[in-house]
Amino acid sequence: MNSLFTPLSWSDSGLILTGVWNTIIISVVAIVVGTVLGLIVGFLRAESNKAVNVLFGSVLDVLRSVPLIIQLILFSTFVGAMGNPLAPFVAGSIVLSLYTMAFMSEVFRSGFESVSPSMQIAARSLGMTKWQTIYHIRLPIGLRAVFPSWLGVSLSVIKDSALVSVIGYMELLRTSEQLISRTQQPLEILIGVGIFYFIISYPLSHYGRYVERKMAI
Amino acid sequence: MISVQNVHKSFGDLEVLKGVSLDVNRGEVVSVIGGSGSGKSTLLYCINAIEPINSGKILVDDVDVHAKETNKDKLRQKLGMVFQQWNSFPHMTVLENAALAPRIVKKMSKEEAIEIAKKELEHVGLGDKLDVYPTKMSGGQQQRLAIARALAMKPDYMLLDEVTSALDPELVGEVLDTLRLLAEEGMTMICVTHEMGFARDVSDRVAYFHQGVIAEIGEARQVITDPQNPLTQKFLSKVR
Ligand SMILES: Nc1ncnc2c1ncn2[C@@H]1O[C@H](COP(=O)(O)OP(=O)(O)OP(=O)(O)O)[C@@H](O)[C@H]1O
Ligand SMILES: [Mg+2]
């Protein structure tokens, strides 16, 4: 149908792979940073009193309820206006990580809170210190309890990473858009992209269910 | 020796212990009986420094439990405690449950900790369950695990808070038998219990708690079968 456009060819695989790689790398960064920060914030929230929690909670609420695409645009516009524009990868990583952290912190908070006070008293009565109790009892039990939710958040971060394309990050969706405008073959390309997300997510969620069953306690 | 001296303890406006005194000598078994809310659990929590006290004094081997300079984590190593809820660590096998505290609190080598844990698990009749996860076991087995876990720290005293109350009736016997064994071996114990037969047969003395004070204390058989205080008489006639 299209002598005007160059059809998809093997020489495009480099571009596609760059997109795949960039999607993976920004997802991994956001999941790792979001998990670490989420653990800390989730623990502080489970431990702290009401006042601190209300303060923390409202910041997290904002992060969770403002659409990610708006956060991305706002952040990169704001930073750009300050005179030091960040590379799309850096800006995207920061926003996506904080967004992930907001969800992870709730996941971990409920994990920490799922370990009953009487379980902790039992550990302390054996002579364990507060930190030993956290490390050997609260953390492992709490993390097991929320593993499925953690995986769920992680999977949606992989999908949400597509939105970082709006600030110019060359992840999979954006490279596909470029290819589409050149080749005019949106169907093939978007189906390919869809299959990629499926190939990543499906085994992970299956693996998650497997681990969940193994850890069932 | 555990020496509780005129201890007062409040939760907010509610005074739960209103001047409790009790001395428990090495090798002695004292059962504490009394109605719900009379402060029995609170007393054990105060002895183990889980709850602070408002006034009075508690000495364990002449160490002031609630003094600022007392290392409470260290002190608790002497005082094994078992609760109504067994609180098995669900992410660890039976053996790991019992070996954890010796390893991380007493800093034993892994082999040493496992050896002690094994011995105590055999002691309570769980020698064939070492690699099982506790949630796969009955309440009675988990409660015996809790006892073994405490014993693995080689405590000088055991504080037991209604350890059979959450168990199905048919499982109570195995746990009481374990406690009876400990008593025969000379373990010093304070047992809060609703099992009057156990209190009468196994303990040396029985203390009857009523609204935050010890209303009667004496030789076990005498308190259970021939109580002097009308309050004790009333309580015992109700639980029988
Ligand atoms: N952490 C707490 N905060 C506030 N009140 C408490 C707390 N722990 C116990 N109490 C109250 O103190 C009183 C004594 O409680 P305690 O648990 O010592 O009673 P008990 O004699 O062990 O009763 P039971 O036989 O029901 O176990 C109760 O009125 C209880 O509600
Ligand atoms: Mg109680």
Side-chain angles (χ1 to χ4, degrees):
Chain A
M1 77 184 192
N2 42 28
S3 49
L4 280 175
F5 303 98
T6 347
L8 207 52
S9 77
W10 280 114
S11 61
D12 296 322
S13 53
L15 186 62
I16 294 174
L17 280 180
T18 308
V20 167
W21 174 248
N22 284 347
T23 286
I24 291 176
I25 202 82
I26 201 167
S27 302
V28 168
V29 167
I31 291 169
V32 170
V33 176
T35 297
V36 172
L37 293 181
L39 259 178
I40 297 169
V41 173
F43 180 72
L44 291 176
R45 290 204 75 192
E47 285 289 276
S48 53
N49 55 29
K50 254 213 161 92
V52 180
N53 254 320
V54 169
L55 199 80
F56 255 137
S58 38
V59 175
L60 295 172
D61 277 342
V62 170
L63 284 174
R64 273 196 304 269
S65 36
V66 175
L68 178 60
I69 194 163
I70 296 180
Q71 295 187 34
L72 285 161
I73 296 172
L74 276 180
F75 182 76
S76 66
T77 313
F78 177 76
V79 173
M82 300 290 285
N84 279 320
L86 293 170
F89 171 72
V90 178
S93 294
I94 292 173
V95 174
L96 196 58
S97 295
L98 290 178
Y99 182 75
T100 308
M101 176 273 286
F103 287 90
M104 291 294 191
S105 64
E106 283 305 276
V107 167
F108 291 128
R109 166 157 95 143
S110 78
F112 284 120
E113 286 176 349
S114 76
V115 184
S116 68
S118 72
M119 180 76 76
Q120 298 168 53
I121 289 177
R124 296 299 301 276
S125 78
L126 290 165
M128 291 187 212
T129 63
K130 192 172 160 85
W131 286 106
Q132 285 175 328
T133 304
I134 290 169
Y135 183 76
H136 292 279
I137 305 299
R138 236 174 146 192
L139 206 58
I141 298 178
L143 292 190
R144 272 170 173 76
V146 298
F147 176 76
S149 324
W150 175 86
L151 192 71
V153 172
S154 298
L155 288 173
S156 57
V157 168
I158 297 175
K159 287 176 266 180
D160 290 342
S161 73
L163 294 174
V164 184
S165 59
V166 297
I167 58 170
Y169 182 58
M170 292 295 280
E171 48 65 69
L172 186 58
L173 183 63
R174 187 157 172 112
T175 55
S176 319
E177 281 167 350
Q178 287 192 346
L179 283 178
I180 290 170
S181 63
R182 202 199 72 217
T183 61
Q184 293 298 301
Q185 291 174 292
L187 215 54
E188 293 89 329
I189 292 173
L190 287 179
I191 288 175
V193 170
I195 289 175
F196 165 80
Y197 283 110
F198 180 77
I199 289 177
I200 295 266
S201 305
Y202 187 74
L204 274 182
S205 66
H206 252 255
Y207 173 69
R209 245 168 284 161
Y210 165 77
V211 173
E212 197 183 332
R213 260 201 314 274
K214 277 209 79 164
M215 290 192 318
I217 41 179
Chain B
M1 179 169 115
I2 295 177
S3 179
V4 178
Q5 299 171 2
N6 194 24
V7 164
H8 289 253
K9 160 78 186 170
S10 303
F11 290 109
D13 288 340
L14 178 69
E15 188 170 38
V16 176
L17 299 181
K18 302 170 183 164
V20 172
S21 297
L22 174 68
D23 282 349
V24 180
N25 290 308
R26 286 273 179 134
E28 211 184 2
V29 177
V30 174
S31 285
V32 176
I33 61 172
S36 183
S38 56
K40 308 180 298 293
S41 300
T42 304
L43 175 68
L44 295 191
Y45 279 40
C46 290
I47 293 174
N48 209 2
I50 294 168
E51 287 288 348
I53 61 177
N54 296 83
S55 67
K57 206 179 223 180
I58 299 178
L59 302 178
V60 172
D61 296 339
D62 296 324
V63 173
D64 184 345
V65 172
H66 294 275
K68 251 210 190 79
E69 63 274 14
T70 302
N71 181 340
K72 303 193 170 54
D73 295 322
K74 185 121 201 182
L75 176 94
R76 291 193 189 105
Q77 298 181 31
K78 279 192 172 189
L79 298 160
M81 190 151 182
V82 182
F83 305 82
Q84 186 170 342
Q85 275 307 325
W86 30 91
N87 289 310
S88 318
F89 304 141
H91 57 305
M92 298 176 176
T93 63
V94 166
L95 183 60
E96 289 164 348
N97 260 268
L100 178 67
R103 189 164 58 77
I104 66 170
V105 176
K106 287 200 164 168
K107 317 274 184 229
M108 285 181 186
S109 72
K110 203 167 175 175
E111 295 73 29
E112 242 182 315
I114 283 179
E115 194 178 319
I116 286 187
K118 259 189 192 155
K119 223 173 100 212
E120 293 305 337
L121 288 164
E122 278 158 15
H123 195 176
V124 302
L126 291 176
D128 56 340
K129 300 281 182 199
L130 301 183
D131 297 321
V132 174
Y133 281 86
T135 42
K136 301 266 189 295
M137 303 198 304
S138 72
Q141 290 170 326
Q142 292 195 58
Q143 195 58 294
R144 283 186 283 144
L145 166 59
I147 294 170
R149 192 169 69 181
L151 290 175
M153 288 300 287
K154 299 279 172 228
D156 296 320
Y157 307 92
M158 288 287 277
L159 309 174
L160 303 139
D161 190 6
E162 293 189 36
V163 297
T164 58
S165 294
L167 293 174
D168 294 336
E170 72 271 19
L171 301 176
V172 168
E174 61 186 71
V175 173
L176 291 184
D177 286 345
T178 305
L179 298 184
R180 197 168 279 129
L181 178 68
L182 291 185
E184 282 163 13
E185 291 168 354
M187 175 59 79
T188 313
M189 299 198 272
I190 303 180
C191 310
V192 173
T193 186
H194 285 308
E195 300 286 335
M196 296 308 147
F198 174 84
R200 181 194 60 215
D201 298 337
V202 178
S203 28
D204 301 302
R205 284 188 295 154
V206 169
Y208 170 64
F209 251 68
H210 183 75
Q211 297 180 354
V213 295
I214 295 180
E216 179 165 0
I217 182 165
E219 192 267 322
R221 184 161 295 273
Q222 176 259 306
V223 174
I224 300 288
T225 56
D226 181 26
Q228 301 302 303
N229 189 322
L231 291 167
T232 322
Q233 291 164 0
K234 196 163 158 219
F235 172 76
L236 285 169
S237 70
K238 263 190 297 182
V239 296
R240 283 246 171 71

